[in-house]
């Protein structure tokens, strides 16, 4: 039978969070037939034009309080405006009510913050855009946040990573409803991966750490990031900082939130990533120039931090000008 999807929007939402999943469900309906496909209803606190963050307006026909069951899947979209809407009691309570009558509940991008505010993620594993992951964990400690996953299912609650990950989420829902072969046909039609390689950390910016209060440590961070091929062992760094190894390790970890060894490895991995994006150097040269030494180490570090291989990363992200 036809499955009903209800998408919740608000002023300033991310347009692709809505249209990406909508196109997945629409194409799936063409493939399996309208009687077995999906019906999409879009709702907001009030009906009428709702303008996305990119300026495109969607004519929303339903107010949240007008939506009744049955609902197969509730989709809460995200967007840069989400932080301003977390305090909107009418929106959050509407999401909570609809979740109670939906078979499945899902969010795209930082729409997870709205699910969390409604108490729907308490005690569950969840993901969100990598830029929002720390905020989600800090504001809602009852949520177990995995910042690297493209999407996560915990019971009947599905959460997805940033923006285009809503397409991955919708494909996974189609696969659950109609099987992987149908989902594969939809993915091929939309020219996207059915299962995207790696996690979303491969798209993130370099590791962010707290800025040390201690000026020698701030200078040391700059030195580490600018000199990946130097001796960056704890003894060498402690000497440069003018501290004992024990005191240096304790102070660095305390003021940055990561150990010296962890910081050095990620800094070198970021240097390797930049070389992969901007040069055509062979992997052994990338490993040497980033301070990682050997191609085997480069591969291992890349898999650990970004869940993908260096060669795969280069194929997706290398600048065409290099």
């Amino acid at each position: 039978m036809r499955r009903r999807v209800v998408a919740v929007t608000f002023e300033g939402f991310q347009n692709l969070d809505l249209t990406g999943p909508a196109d997945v469900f629409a194409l799936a309906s063409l493939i399996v037939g309208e009687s077995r496909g999906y019906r999409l209803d879009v709702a907001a606190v009030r009906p009428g034009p709702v303008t996305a963050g990119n300026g495109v307006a969607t004519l929303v026909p339903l107010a949240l309080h007008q939506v009744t069951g049955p609902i197969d899947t509730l989709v809460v979209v995200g967007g840069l405006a989400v932080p301003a809407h977390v305090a909107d009691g009418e929106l959050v309570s509407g999401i909570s009510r609809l979740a109670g009558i939906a078979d499945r509940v899902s969010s795209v991008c930082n729409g997870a913050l709205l699910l969390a505010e409604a108490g729907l993620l308490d005690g569950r594993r969840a993901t969100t855009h990598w830029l929002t992951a720390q905020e989600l964990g800090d504001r809602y400690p009852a949520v177990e946040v995995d910042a690297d996953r493209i999407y996560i299912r915990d019971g009947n609650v599905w959460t997805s990573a940033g923006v285009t990950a809503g397409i991955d989420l919708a494909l996974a829902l189609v696969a659950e409803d109609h099987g992987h072969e149908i989902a594969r046909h939809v993915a091929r039609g939309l020219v996207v991966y059915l299962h995207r390689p790696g996690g979303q950390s491969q798209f993130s910016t370099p590791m962010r750490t707290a800025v040390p209060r201690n000026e020698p440590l701030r200078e040391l961070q700059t030195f580490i990031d600018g000199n990946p091929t130097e001796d960056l062992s704890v003894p060498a760094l402690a000497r440069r900082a003018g501290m004992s190894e024990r005191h240096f390790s304790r102070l660095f970890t305390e003021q940055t939130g990561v150990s010296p060894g962890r910081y050095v490895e990620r800094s070198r991995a970021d240097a390797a990533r930049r070389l992969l994006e901007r040069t055509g150097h062979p992997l052994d040269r990338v490993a040497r120039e980033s301070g990682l030494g050997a191609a085997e180490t480069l591969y291992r570090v890349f898999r650990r931090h970004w869940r993908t291989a260096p060669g795969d990363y280069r194929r997706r992200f290398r600048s065409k000008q290099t």
Side-chain angles (χ1 to χ4, degrees):
M1 59 184 293
R2 203 173 183 200
R3 290 175 166 83
R4 185 186 185 201
V5 178
V6 174
V8 177
T9 63
F10 44 83
E11 284 293 322
F13 74 96
Q14 179 81 39
N15 200 39
L16 192 54
D17 288 6
L18 173 64
T19 58
D23 278 348
V24 170
F25 294 131
L27 185 51
S29 296
L30 286 176
I31 294 171
V32 302
E34 290 295 326
S35 63
R36 296 179 56 224
Y38 298 89
R39 164 191 163 191
L40 176 66
D41 289 328
V42 183
V45 170
R46 281 168 289 280
V50 176
T51 305
N54 63 3
V56 175
T58 297
L59 186 59
V60 175
L62 293 170
L64 291 178
H65 69 83
Q66 295 176 314
V67 180
T68 59
I71 300 172
D72 181 78
T73 305
L74 179 68
V75 179
V76 177
V77 303
L80 293 177
V82 163
H85 289 284
V86 167
D88 184 339
E90 198 171 355
L91 175 62
V92 173
S93 63
I95 290 170
S96 179
R97 183 184 72 81
L98 295 182
I101 58 175
D103 292 335
R104 297 183 297 204
V105 177
S106 65
S107 64
V108 182
C109 195
N110 63 346
L113 290 171
L114 294 169
L115 292 189
E117 183 67 21
L120 300 170
L121 298 184
D122 288 355
R124 296 184 185 274
R125 292 179 62 245
T127 192
T128 185
H129 194 294
W130 58 267
L131 277 171
T132 312
Q134 183 169 345
E135 180 183 0
L136 179 62
D138 290 345
R139 291 185 63 164
Y140 307 99
V143 182
E144 182 186 343
V145 180
D146 185 341
D148 191 45
R149 295 289 296 278
I150 299 297
Y151 64 85
I152 288 177
R153 176 185 184 180
D154 189 325
N156 73 326
V157 178
W158 302 62
T159 52
S160 61
V163 194
T164 60
I167 296 173
D168 300 78
L169 171 70
L171 286 168
L173 294 172
V174 169
E176 181 178 65
D177 296 338
H178 298 289
H180 286 279
E181 191 59 31
I182 296 298
R184 185 175 295 108
H185 282 303
V186 174
R188 290 168 66 183
L190 295 176
V191 197
V192 296
Y193 287 112
L194 176 57
H195 298 292
R196 192 187 308 212
Q200 70 165 331
S201 58
Q202 64 188 291
F203 302 97
S204 67
T205 55
M207 176 181 63
R208 297 181 175 188
T209 61
V211 177
R213 301 183 301 275
N214 183 289
E215 184 174 353
L217 292 187
R218 292 197 298 271
E219 293 175 352
L220 194 62
Q221 275 189 327
T222 302
F223 176 79
I224 291 170
D225 293 338
N227 299 274
T229 60
E230 292 290 327
D231 180 0
L232 302 180
S233 63
V234 169
L237 293 175
R239 286 194 301 272
R240 180 172 287 273
M243 304 176 189
S244 69
E245 293 178 28
R246 182 176 180 180
H247 179 60
F248 164 71
S249 294
R250 182 189 62 77
L251 197 64
F252 190 96
T253 303
E254 176 187 289
Q255 294 194 17
T256 67
V258 295
S259 69
R262 174 77 171 178
Y263 186 90
V264 167
E265 180 180 273
R266 184 62 184 264
S267 179
R268 283 172 165 164
D270 284 332
R273 180 161 63 169
R274 291 191 297 272
L275 287 168
L276 290 169
E277 291 172 353
R278 301 170 186 174
T279 76
H281 298 340
L283 294 185
D284 56 351
R285 181 175 173 182
V286 170
R288 290 195 306 273
E289 293 188 5
S290 62
L292 291 171
E296 292 79 6
T297 306
L298 171 66
Y299 181 87
R300 186 169 62 251
V301 167
F302 244 74
R303 295 295 297 182
R304 177 159 54 242
H305 289 288
W306 293 301
R307 311 286 179 85
T308 191
D312 291 337
Y313 181 87
R314 167 175 273 165
R315 281 188 287 274
R316 288 193 290 276
F317 295 106
R318 184 182 171 190
S319 169
K320 299 302 182 184
Q321 280 70 48
T322 60

